[in-house]
Amino acid sequence: MSHITLVRHGQANTEARDEESYDRLSDLGHQQARWLGAHLAETRSHHTRVYCGTLTRHLETAASMGLADPVQDARLNEIEYFALAQRFEEQHGVAIPDDREGFVDHLPRTFVAWSRGEIADPPESFDQFETRVREALGEIGTEGGPAIVVTSGGLISMVMRQAMGLDIPSMARVALAIMNTSMHRLYPIGAHLSPVLFNAVPHLEPPERQFAQTHL
């Protein structure tokens, strides 16, 4: 029976504070993707269908992995977190953090406010995000052989929310845990897609590569 493997993109521009500047891989991000591509080749992982979002970091990750001609679908794109956070700051005075520790607190607060409709004029509503993710994964489905999907951490956390019935704080904790170029697998069990793999980075497990286990 076929499955879907979600891959988070490689490390992007961690110094960025806006969507456009963030949307490119760092040198390490390209290396993470090359290591993952080599791992898939060495283990003879076969994917008859390849998908990715339309963001530059998705396309660069797929290319460095050696994935040819992925089907591009904007519904697989990340939420516009910088734009959302800017509105949150303007409307509620919640400052955008400049370090990882601050981000760990900021992301759950932002997700909760966004899901409650407390951030006016967001790039998209929480319900719209939830709907596009459900529709995209539903269309990819499990017919036609195993699929691999290069996307982003926020989207993967939404997939896990939908698969496991997570509340918003739990979804945010999942998002914070997701490493760059990690793999997450969904397998059809009964009428539902169920997670059978989460945050796997076998290509980054050797001691000399553990420095590359990045979250941001």
Side-chain angles (χ1 to χ4, degrees), residues 192-209:
H192 303 282
L193 287 172
S194 297
V196 296
L197 185 72
F198 176 76
N199 219 22
V201 286
H203 56 298
L204 303 179
E205 292 294 348
E208 69 275 12
R209 295 184 185 177

Side-chain angles (χ1 to χ4, degrees), residues 29-40:
H30 281 288
Q31 181 61 70
Q32 291 166 331
R34 286 192 291 269
W35 280 330
L36 177 55
H39 169 78
L40 294 175

Side-chain angles (χ1 to χ4, degrees):
M1 194 174 292
S2 297
H3 56 260
I4 300 173
T5 300
L6 303 169
V7 174
R8 186 190 176 196
H9 61 78
Q11 184 191 63
N13 177 18
T14 58
E15 302 300 319
R17 293 297 178 267
D18 62 77
E19 307 293 343
E20 184 177 359
S21 300
Y22 180 73
D23 192 27
R24 64 176 184 273
L25 293 192
S26 67
D27 291 343
L28 177 58
H30 281 288
Q31 181 61 70
Q32 291 166 331
R34 286 192 291 269
W35 280 330
L36 177 55
H39 169 78
L40 294 175
E42 290 165 3
T43 57
R44 299 184 181 180
S45 296
H46 179 61
H47 300 93
T48 58
R49 300 176 297 139
V50 181
Y51 301 84
C52 70
T54 62
L55 299 175
T56 299
R57 58 190 184 272
H58 298 158
L59 297 168
E60 289 182 341
T61 299
S64 288
M65 288 175 63
L67 300 177
D69 300 320
V71 175
Q72 298 179 39
D73 188 338
R75 294 176 300 176
L76 299 170
N77 288 353
E78 182 63 291
I79 61 174
E80 295 183 34
Y81 191 81
F82 289 106
L84 191 64
Q86 184 176 12
R87 286 167 175 75
F88 197 24
E89 181 173 25
E90 292 168 351
Q91 297 168 22
H92 299 279
V94 179
I96 300 173
D98 56 9
D99 56 25
R100 186 178 187 278
E101 289 69 26
F103 184 69
V104 167
D105 175 68
H106 186 268
L107 188 142
R109 292 183 66 185
T110 304
F111 273 18
V112 168
W114 182 34
S115 68
R116 292 175 176 172
E118 296 171 356
I119 302 176
D121 192 31
E124 66 180 326
S125 71
F126 187 87
D127 288 345
Q128 288 171 330
F129 177 51
E130 191 163 32
T131 297
R132 71 167 163 94
V133 172
R134 181 181 294 109
E135 289 179 348
L137 266 290
E139 288 184 22
I140 290 170
T142 55
E143 298 295 326
I148 191 165
V149 180
V150 179
T151 181
S152 292
L155 186 138
I156 294 169
S157 73
M158 174 57 80
V159 172
M160 294 300 165
R161 164 180 161 79
Q162 294 174 350
M164 302 185 70
L166 301 178
D167 60 18
I168 306 302
S170 298
M171 173 187 166
R173 288 196 296 273
V174 165
L176 288 166
I178 294 172
M179 289 186 280
N180 295 112
T181 62
S182 55
M183 294 184 289
H184 313 257
R185 186 160 297 141
L186 300 167
Y187 195 90
I189 299 177
H192 303 282
L193 287 172
S194 297
V196 296
L197 185 72
F198 176 76
N199 219 22
V201 286
H203 56 298
L204 303 179
E205 292 294 348
E208 69 275 12
R209 295 184 185 177
Q210 290 178 8
F211 75 93
Q213 294 180 9
T214 59
H215 294 84
L216 297 178

